[in-house]
Amino acid sequence: MKIATYNVNGINGRLPVLLKWLQEASPDIVCLQELKAPQERFPLQEINAAGYQAIWNGQKSWNGVAILAKDREITEVQRSLPGDPEDIQSRYIEAIIDKMVICCLYLPNGNPYPGPKFDYKLSWIKRFKKRTNQLIAMELPAILIGDFNIIPEPVDVYKPERWENDALYRTEVRKAYKELQKKGWLDSIRKLFPEEKIYTFWDYLYKAYDRNAGMRLDHILLSPYLHSRLQSAGVDSHVRGWEKSSDHAPVWIELADEM
């Protein structure tokens, strides 16, 4: 089974790129972030024509998350992160597919640091960790997947010394990521490529993609129940080079069938 995540950076404006990638890569499950479209403007007809069912939570202008599945039933669990009823930002959607809990997230950016946006990021992470701890305690096969807006290690960014006071690389958020791993969540890319320089995002400015001056923001973390099923993983970095593409590239893993 192939499972992928892709921050599309505007699903309607970049729909041709998304559909082209879906046809080329043919993932079974896809988590999308940054739809930048209200609920009623999600391109369901085109997604269905590509062979996928979908659930989504849109938001005008910003944010938005979705889960797509090919030839599989999607059972929605929740479409917001528990813990703050006043938080109206569309950054989390959770579903069950093939007996797995799929947690699609678009974690807040947090910049500028310091400030209220960074405070919101930390509070969101706190709520998120509470949910992930529940999933671990229930011993469920679960996947945390999406744009974490966290650079975990120096190897995950071009010239890390420039990012010390950026909300993507602050000590607080990197510590939170490590705490997820200590609880048993496996970083798929780092498990299979422990020391390789791998990026998932390249800015549009300064020819960052051409220079490979990127960072790794998009992650797929597996609960202990799924560790042994991880077979392969990768980043479709060539998609970032397509015309009118997102500044992120799709990230994917392949899991062995359940025994």
Side-chain angles (χ1 to χ4, degrees):
M1 179 187 299
K2 188 173 186 179
I3 303 171
T5 180
Y6 189 16
N7 180 321
V8 293
N9 191 16
I11 192 167
N12 288 304
R14 306 189 200 280
L15 186 58
V17 172
L18 173 61
L19 296 176
K20 179 181 177 181
W21 171 72
L22 288 174
Q23 183 178 27
E24 175 185 279
S26 192
D28 299 293
I29 299 172
V30 184
C31 290
L32 303 176
Q33 304 86 41
E34 207 170 353
L35 305 180
K36 292 183 177 178
Q39 188 72 5
E40 66 276 8
R41 289 206 59 211
F42 184 84
L44 182 60
Q45 183 175 350
E46 292 86 346
I47 296 297
N48 289 163
Y52 291 85
Q53 300 300 314
I55 61 170
W56 69 97
N57 189 14
Q59 187 170 9
K60 184 179 180 180
S61 300
W62 307 105
N63 307 324
V65 285
I67 301 176
L68 318 183
K70 181 170 60 176
D71 302 324
R72 287 167 168 81
E73 182 179 352
I74 307 175
T75 302
E76 183 176 316
V77 176
Q78 52 192 347
R79 56 177 50 225
S80 62
L81 186 64
D84 184 0
E86 296 184 359
D87 185 3
I88 61 172
Q89 295 193 29
S90 175
R91 294 186 173 275
Y92 185 85
I93 191 166
E94 185 178 309
I96 296 174
I97 305 175
D98 275 4
K99 301 179 182 179
M100 295 185 299
V101 182
I102 307 296
C103 306
C104 173
L105 62 133
Y106 179 35
L107 203 146
N109 178 286
N111 279 306
Y113 167 85
K117 291 185 177 181
F118 187 71
D119 295 339
Y120 171 63
K121 180 173 189 170
L122 294 183
S123 67
W124 202 98
I125 289 174
K126 184 177 180 180
R127 290 158 52 204
F128 179 59
K129 287 169 62 179
K130 183 176 180 180
R131 178 56 180 156
T132 64
N133 288 340
Q134 291 171 343
L135 294 171
I136 290 289
M138 290 186 285
E139 298 183 347
L140 293 173
I143 303 178
L144 313 179
I145 177 170
D147 180 356
F148 282 63
N149 269 318
I150 295 175
I151 303 168
E153 300 288 347
V155 70
D156 295 313
V157 62
Y158 179 76
K159 294 189 176 181
E161 65 276 7
R162 296 182 177 180
W163 295 86
E164 293 292 339
N165 285 314
D166 191 280
L168 304 176
Y169 194 63
R170 280 290 305 171
T171 301
E172 298 92 328
V173 298
R174 294 170 60 200
K175 180 181 177 182
Y177 192 87
K178 289 180 180 178
E179 288 172 349
L180 288 174
Q181 294 175 290
K182 289 178 181 178
K183 286 289 186 177
W185 295 99
L186 181 70
D187 185 331
S188 302
I189 290 290
R190 279 292 162 241
K191 173 62 178 179
L192 298 180
F193 307 97
E195 298 180 357
E196 188 171 336
K197 182 173 65 177
I198 295 175
Y199 300 146
T200 68
F201 169 93
W202 298 261
D203 201 298
Y204 291 123
L205 301 175
Y206 312 119
K207 296 185 177 181
Y209 177 70
D210 296 333
R211 298 186 295 113
N212 198 28
M215 60 187 74
R216 189 169 73 100
L217 299 176
D218 307 87
H219 311 302
I220 304 177
L221 274 56
L222 305 179
S223 69
Y225 192 91
L226 294 174
H227 290 190
S228 63
R229 292 176 59 185
L230 179 63
Q231 290 188 314
S232 59
V235 180
D236 289 340
S237 56
H238 67 284
V239 175
R240 173 62 178 83
W242 290 353
E243 185 178 359
K244 297 182 178 179
S245 186
S246 170
D247 42 11
H248 292 253
V251 182
W252 56 268
I253 62 169
E254 289 186 330
L255 298 179
D257 292 336
E258 187 175 11
M259 300 300 291

